Amino acid sequence: MKGIRLAALAVACALAFPQQVSASEDPILPGMEDPGIYAELVAMLEKEVGARLTGHLQQRGILRQVTVGIVIEPRKRRIVVDFGPGYLPGKEQSYGELFLIPLAADIRHYSEKSGLEILDVEFFFQGRPMEEHFPDDHPQPALVKRRAVHSKALVSSSHGYVALHPGGGWEFQRRAPLGLQEDVLSPVYGDELESLLEQRSGLTVSRARSRSTDPHPESTHPWEEMSARYHLKALLPDRKDIWNELPNSPDSDR
């Protein structure tokens, strides 16, 4: 699960980033007739991301100012955010997943409002992608010499309701900045994938999240809306190393 988290934040290559990008470096996309919008958008995003990071760190009891550099690559429809020294979320912070993924969604939203359609937002830390800082947690897959024969598969659409620390209130793990609740949508795609795996490959499929509509006893929400950790807790009550991996983490979703 660590590798999956880290892969979600991985980026393609390491670069040194200037603070602004010249409009002459890339062709202007439709809706971006004013070359000066690059510098304006970069300045706005750097200020917004810097403020958001400062607030995020303060919530964790850390008083620190971290520099933020942003590069817009309109040809690739990509924005690269490079955090300076002072911010490198590791295993104990779930690699910053709950901060960085919603932040990427908001950056895309701000960019679209400026007329720039962005497909990818990538995060670097002091000029390097996260997996270069934590190579042991993101190993390169071994070369497969022959196709393995499997009989089982696990479909994991794992986000859902969690009890937030320390108050214990139940909230979805993902925000819905565009009005779409990923926690509720992903199991539907999991149903389709499960069906295809069974029909086309003859696999026995298990699900990380329950698809039952019965109420979860602690939260009273339907089981199908609960995070995978509660389903796994019910199935494997003695395997806290799976569903309670970081019991002392200060994160709200620990």
Side-chain angles (χ1 to χ4, degrees):
M1 293 178 70
K2 303 187 193 78
I4 293 173
R5 292 196 205 103
L6 195 51
L9 301 175
V11 292
C13 58
L15 299 171
F17 300 114
Q19 291 295 308
Q20 295 187 357
V21 178
S22 169
S24 62
E25 294 177 6
D26 290 289
I28 303 300
L29 294 178
M32 291 196 68
E33 292 147 0
D34 179 8
I37 198 170
Y38 283 118
E40 182 179 351
L41 180 58
V42 165
M44 185 276 289
L45 289 176
E46 287 179 345
K47 181 178 179 181
E48 176 67 19
V49 173
R52 292 272 290 273
L53 178 58
T54 298
H56 172 69
L57 293 175
Q58 287 177 348
Q59 289 178 354
R60 299 178 56 81
I62 301 172
L63 300 179
R64 185 177 298 153
Q65 192 75 30
V66 178
T67 60
V68 177
I70 289 180
V71 166
I72 298 175
E73 299 178 348
R75 183 183 296 133
K76 298 179 181 179
R77 295 190 176 184
R78 178 173 65 184
I79 286 179
V80 181
V81 181
D82 185 31
F83 296 104
Y87 178 60
L88 180 61
K91 173 183 175 181
E92 290 297 322
Q93 300 85 39
S94 299
Y95 305 100
E97 181 186 46
L98 292 182
F99 172 68
L100 294 175
I101 293 179
L103 179 63
D106 289 341
I107 290 173
R108 285 194 297 269
H109 178 68
Y110 295 144
S111 301
E112 290 171 2
K113 289 293 186 181
S114 300
L116 176 61
E117 183 180 356
I118 289 297
L119 300 178
D120 296 312
V121 177
E122 300 180 348
F123 295 107
F124 281 68
F125 304 83
Q126 302 179 54
R128 294 190 294 155
M130 187 175 289
E131 70 269 21
E132 289 191 11
H133 291 279
F134 302 100
D136 293 340
D137 293 339
H138 193 251
Q140 294 298 317
L143 295 177
V144 178
K145 296 183 178 180
R146 62 182 180 84
R147 183 176 180 180
V149 178
H150 299 286
S151 60
K152 300 178 182 179
L154 174 70
V155 173
S156 177
S157 48
S158 298
H159 302 140
Y161 274 113
V162 295
L164 296 184
H165 172 75
W170 295 92
E171 290 188 14
F172 281 123
Q173 286 180 274
R174 290 288 175 264
R175 294 190 301 166
L178 303 179
L180 298 175
Q181 191 65 58
E182 183 264 353
D183 306 68
V184 177
L185 289 176
S186 58
V188 179
Y189 290 97
D191 293 341
E192 182 70 14
L193 178 57
E194 178 181 3
S195 177
L196 291 172
L197 288 170
E198 290 175 340
Q199 294 175 13
R200 297 181 180 180
S201 302
L203 300 180
T204 300
V205 179
S206 299
R207 298 292 291 269
R209 278 175 66 175
S210 172
R211 296 299 281 135
S212 170
T213 58
D214 293 338
H216 175 250
E218 295 179 59
S219 69
T220 71
H221 293 293
W223 265 106
E224 64 177 359
E225 295 182 358
M226 303 304 299
S227 171
R229 69 187 64 177
Y230 303 104
H231 186 210
L232 295 173
K233 179 181 178 181
L235 294 176
L236 305 168
D238 297 328
R239 292 300 306 272
K240 291 186 178 182
D241 57 314
I242 296 177
W243 50 264
N244 194 26
E245 180 185 13
L246 302 172
N248 298 317
S249 169
D251 287 346
S252 61
D253 74 326
R254 70 182 194 184

